[in-house]
Structures are given as structure tokens and as C-alpha cells.
Amino acid sequence: MSAKAKKDPMYGILKYDSYLAPYAADIRQRMDRYAGVRKALLGEDGDISSFANAHLYFGIFRCQGGWVYREWAPAAEAMHLFGDFNGWDPWSVPMKRLENGVWEVFLPGEDALRHGQKIKVRVTHGGVTRDRIPLYIRYVVQDEGSTGFSGVV
């Protein structure tokens, strides 16, 4: 194998399809762009399968002894979960920052959350606080009498 083949990841496809040769620079440019976006999304060692199945880790789930809520917000300085379950007190349920921009909170008790309850997440970034719909929520409703929305358990 030549030195060029070892350096050029597109060498194989160009070798098997000579009609692509005039487009080699464009193919390389697209593959470089893909590699950059993939690295930004997945990090150095991430894999597409884990990224595609993030909904199995992030969001709200019933677990042994209660409920867990996880969110990915790498730039957040603080996060709080609130809604029907806590009288809409936006500060009473702080979330804990884990590695890689993941935030988590455990709500003890099987009835800590119930089907149909509305929730939001309060995100603080740059000293500014905003209320958001949880990213991986599966159902959203518009709040009565306003233009706001809430996630629904």
C-alpha cells in the first residue's frame, strides 16, 4: 500500500470507482466536514449508536425507589426541575451536574411524579435564568392563557 493510500481515507473508493476521481477533492472536503461534526457531537471516543439512543438515558424515567430526570446542558451553570409536583416552585429541586455536561436529579418515591403532571426545567447560563421544556420530553402542551408550553410526564 502506498503512503498516499495510508494518508487518504478516500483512496479505496476512488480506486474502485474511477468515475469519482474528478470529485476527489469534493469527497475529501465532505468527509472532513463529517468528521468535524461527528467529533463535535460525540467527542473523541463517542459512537453513533450511543448518540442515537440518548433518549434511553436522558429524560424522565421511573426507577427503583422513585424517578430520575437527566438533561444534557454543557453550558448551564445551574438547573432546577419544577412543575405540578412541587407547586411550581422553580428553586426547590436543584439538579446535580455530572460529567460531560449532564445534569441529573433523583425524586424519591414512586408517586413523586404522576402521569399527566406538567413540568419545566429552569436553566441558568451567564447569570440569566430561563424556563425551558425538558429536551427529551415526549409530550408537550400549551399553557392555558399564555403562549408558554410545558412538558407532560
Side-chain angles (χ1 to χ4, degrees):
M1 185 177 287
S2 71
K4 181 181 178 185
K6 290 179 185 176
K7 288 182 189 177
D8 188 352
M10 293 306 302
Y11 182 78
I13 194 169
L14 295 173
K15 177 182 168 188
Y16 293 112
D17 190 344
S18 61
Y19 289 104
L20 294 175
Y23 308 102
D26 294 319
I27 292 170
R28 271 189 215 94
Q29 182 180 17
R30 285 184 181 210
M31 292 305 294
D32 288 345
R33 175 72 177 134
Y34 161 76
V37 170
R38 180 183 171 123
K39 183 177 177 181
L41 286 173
L42 307 177
E44 290 291 333
D45 300 322
D47 64 288
I48 293 285
S49 178
S50 294
F51 180 78
N53 291 311
H55 66 283
L56 299 173
Y57 178 74
F58 293 109
I60 299 168
F61 299 97
R62 185 185 299 255
C63 60
Q64 186 172 4
W67 293 77
V68 67
Y69 167 59
R70 289 185 203 98
E71 189 76 66
W72 185 72
E77 297 159 3
M79 294 185 70
H80 295 79
L81 182 64
F82 67 106
D84 289 339
F85 72 98
N86 71 344
W88 292 96
D89 180 349
W91 304 107
S92 68
V93 183
M95 297 178 69
K96 179 181 176 185
R97 185 183 189 106
L98 306 178
E99 294 180 353
N100 301 321
V102 176
W103 292 81
E104 179 181 87
V105 64
F106 175 74
L107 302 170
E110 291 186 15
D111 292 331
L113 293 175
R114 292 185 317 277
H115 177 75
Q117 285 184 316
K118 295 177 186 175
I119 60 168
K120 291 186 180 187
V121 63
R122 179 159 282 188
V123 181
T124 303
H125 170 69
V128 176
T129 300
R130 292 196 170 93
D131 298 340
R132 298 289 187 222
I133 302 166
L135 180 62
Y136 285 89
I137 198 75
R138 291 180 170 95
Y139 185 66
V140 175
V141 295
Q142 187 169 10
D143 301 331
E144 291 182 32
S146 77
T147 58
F149 289 84
S150 293
V152 179
V153 176

